[in-house]
PDB file of all heavy atoms in Angstrom:
ATOM      1  N   PHE C  23      87.394 119.817-129.535  1.00 92.00           N
ATOM      2  CA  PHE C  23      88.817 119.500-129.522  1.00 92.00           C
ATOM      3  C   PHE C  23      89.080 118.070-129.990  1.00 92.00           C
ATOM      4  O   PHE C  23      90.048 117.810-130.709  1.00 92.00           O
ATOM      5  CB  PHE C  23      89.421 119.731-128.135  1.00 92.00           C
ATOM      6  CG  PHE C  23      90.899 119.546-128.117  1.00 92.00           C
ATOM      7  CD1 PHE C  23      91.734 120.495-128.684  1.00 92.00           C
ATOM      8  CD2 PHE C  23      91.474 118.414-127.557  1.00 92.00           C
ATOM      9  CE1 PHE C  23      93.113 120.336-128.688  1.00 92.00           C
ATOM     10  CE2 PHE C  23      92.852 118.236-127.557  1.00 92.00           C
ATOM     11  CZ  PHE C  23      93.670 119.201-128.129  1.00 92.00           C
ATOM     12  N   ASP C  27      91.370 117.548-133.260  1.00 88.00           N
ATOM     13  CA  ASP C  27      92.629 116.813-133.181  1.00 88.00           C
ATOM     14  C   ASP C  27      92.681 115.628-134.131  1.00 88.00           C
ATOM     15  O   ASP C  27      93.754 115.257-134.600  1.00 88.00           O
ATOM     16  CB  ASP C  27      92.856 116.339-131.746  1.00 88.00           C
ATOM     17  CG  ASP C  27      94.248 115.792-131.549  1.00 88.00           C
ATOM     18  OD1 ASP C  27      95.212 116.447-131.994  1.00 88.00           O
ATOM     19  OD2 ASP C  27      94.371 114.709-130.963  1.00 88.00           O
ATOM     20  N   ILE C  66      97.715 119.555-137.583  1.00 79.00           N
ATOM     21  CA  ILE C  66      98.371 119.724-136.291  1.00 79.00           C
ATOM     22  C   ILE C  66      97.813 118.651-135.376  1.00 79.00           C
ATOM     23  O   ILE C  66      96.659 118.724-134.970  1.00 79.00           O
ATOM     24  CB  ILE C  66      98.094 121.121-135.686  1.00 79.00           C
ATOM     25  CG1 ILE C  66      98.543 122.227-136.625  1.00 79.00           C
ATOM     26  CG2 ILE C  66      98.760 121.252-134.330  1.00 79.00           C
ATOM     27  CD1 ILE C  66      98.110 123.609-136.182  1.00 79.00           C
ATOM     28  N   GLY C  67      98.606 117.648-135.069  1.00 72.00           N
ATOM     29  CA  GLY C  67      98.166 116.562-134.192  1.00 72.00           C
ATOM     30  C   GLY C  67      98.450 116.899-132.747  1.00 72.00           C
ATOM     31  O   GLY C  67      99.345 116.311-132.149  1.00 72.00           O
ATOM     32  N   ILE C  68      97.701 117.818-132.196  1.00 72.00           N
ATOM     33  CA  ILE C  68      97.972 118.296-130.840  1.00 72.00           C
ATOM     34  C   ILE C  68      97.901 117.164-129.829  1.00 72.00           C
ATOM     35  O   ILE C  68      98.813 116.962-129.043  1.00 72.00           O
ATOM     36  CB  ILE C  68      97.010 119.438-130.448  1.00 72.00           C
ATOM     37  CG1 ILE C  68      97.213 120.627-131.367  1.00 72.00           C
ATOM     38  CG2 ILE C  68      97.217 119.839-128.992  1.00 72.00           C
ATOM     39  CD1 ILE C  68      96.197 121.735-131.177  1.00 72.00           C
ATOM     40  N   GLY C  69      96.835 116.414-129.832  1.00 63.00           N
ATOM     41  CA  GLY C  69      96.671 115.324-128.873  1.00 63.00           C
ATOM     42  C   GLY C  69      97.684 114.219-129.065  1.00 63.00           C
ATOM     43  O   GLY C  69      98.011 113.496-128.144  1.00 63.00           O
ATOM     44  N   ARG C  70      98.201 114.094-130.269  1.00 58.00           N
ATOM     45  CA  ARG C  70      99.200 113.059-130.550  1.00 58.00           C
ATOM     46  C   ARG C  70     100.569 113.444-130.021  1.00 58.00           C
ATOM     47  O   ARG C  70     101.501 112.659-130.080  1.00 58.00           O
ATOM     48  CB  ARG C  70      99.262 112.810-132.047  1.00 58.00           C
ATOM     49  CG  ARG C  70      98.013 112.124-132.536  1.00 58.00           C
ATOM     50  CD  ARG C  70      98.096 111.847-134.025  1.00 58.00           C
ATOM     51  NE  ARG C  70      96.773 111.502-134.492  1.00 58.00           N
ATOM     52  CZ  ARG C  70      95.872 112.382-134.899  1.00 58.00           C
ATOM     53  NH1 ARG C  70      96.141 113.650-134.930  1.00 58.00           N
ATOM     54  NH2 ARG C  70      94.681 111.999-135.298  1.00 58.00           N
ATOM     55  N   LEU C  71     100.715 114.659-129.545  1.00 56.00           N
ATOM     56  CA  LEU C  71     101.994 115.084-128.980  1.00 56.00           C
ATOM     57  C   LEU C  71     102.258 114.438-127.631  1.00 56.00           C
ATOM     58  O   LEU C  71     103.366 114.479-127.136  1.00 56.00           O
ATOM     59  CB  LEU C  71     102.017 116.614-128.810  1.00 56.00           C
ATOM     60  CG  LEU C  71     101.957 117.445-130.075  1.00 56.00           C
ATOM     61  CD1 LEU C  71     101.837 118.919-129.722  1.00 56.00           C
ATOM     62  CD2 LEU C  71     103.182 117.205-130.934  1.00 56.00           C
ATOM     63  N   LYS C  72     101.217 113.864-127.046  1.00 60.00           N
ATOM     64  CA  LYS C  72     101.353 113.308-125.700  1.00 60.00           C
ATOM     65  C   LYS C  72     102.321 112.126-125.680  1.00 60.00           C
ATOM     66  O   LYS C  72     102.162 111.185-126.426  1.00 60.00           O
ATOM     67  CB  LYS C  72      99.991 112.882-125.158  1.00 60.00           C
ATOM     68  CG  LYS C  72      99.084 114.041-124.844  1.00 60.00           C
ATOM     69  CD  LYS C  72      97.832 113.567-124.190  1.00 60.00           C
ATOM     70  CE  LYS C  72      96.708 113.664-125.184  1.00 60.00           C
ATOM     71  NZ  LYS C  72      95.435 113.250-124.689  1.00 60.00           N
ATOM     72  N   PHE C  78      99.859 117.408-120.173  1.00 85.00           N
ATOM     73  CA  PHE C  78      98.827 118.067-120.977  1.00 85.00           C
ATOM     74  C   PHE C  78      97.877 118.774-120.018  1.00 85.00           C
ATOM     75  O   PHE C  78      97.357 118.141-119.102  1.00 85.00           O
ATOM     76  CB  PHE C  78      98.083 117.003-121.790  1.00 85.00           C
ATOM     77  CG  PHE C  78      96.819 117.465-122.446  1.00 85.00           C
ATOM     78  CD1 PHE C  78      96.836 118.018-123.713  1.00 85.00           C
ATOM     79  CD2 PHE C  78      95.596 117.313-121.809  1.00 85.00           C
ATOM     80  CE1 PHE C  78      95.672 118.417-124.335  1.00 85.00           C
ATOM     81  CE2 PHE C  78      94.414 117.727-122.421  1.00 85.00           C
ATOM     82  CZ  PHE C  78      94.463 118.269-123.685  1.00 85.00           C
ATOM     83  N   PHE C  92     101.223 122.015-123.379  1.00 87.00           N
ATOM     84  CA  PHE C  92     102.032 120.790-123.342  1.00 87.00           C
ATOM     85  C   PHE C  92     103.398 121.140-122.788  1.00 87.00           C
ATOM     86  O   PHE C  92     104.036 122.085-123.247  1.00 87.00           O
ATOM     87  CB  PHE C  92     102.204 120.201-124.741  1.00 87.00           C
ATOM     88  CG  PHE C  92     100.982 119.505-125.238  1.00 87.00           C
ATOM     89  CD1 PHE C  92     100.093 120.161-126.057  1.00 87.00           C
ATOM     90  CD2 PHE C  92     100.729 118.190-124.881  1.00 87.00           C
ATOM     91  CE1 PHE C  92      98.957 119.526-126.517  1.00 87.00           C
ATOM     92  CE2 PHE C  92      99.595 117.547-125.333  1.00 87.00           C
ATOM     93  CZ  PHE C  92      98.707 118.210-126.150  1.00 87.00           C
TER      94      PHE C  92
END
Side-chain angles (χ1 to χ4, degrees):
F23 186 74
D27 190 47
I66 302 171
I68 298 173
R70 290 181 194 88
L71 295 174
K72 290 186 254 181
F78 168 89
F92 284 97

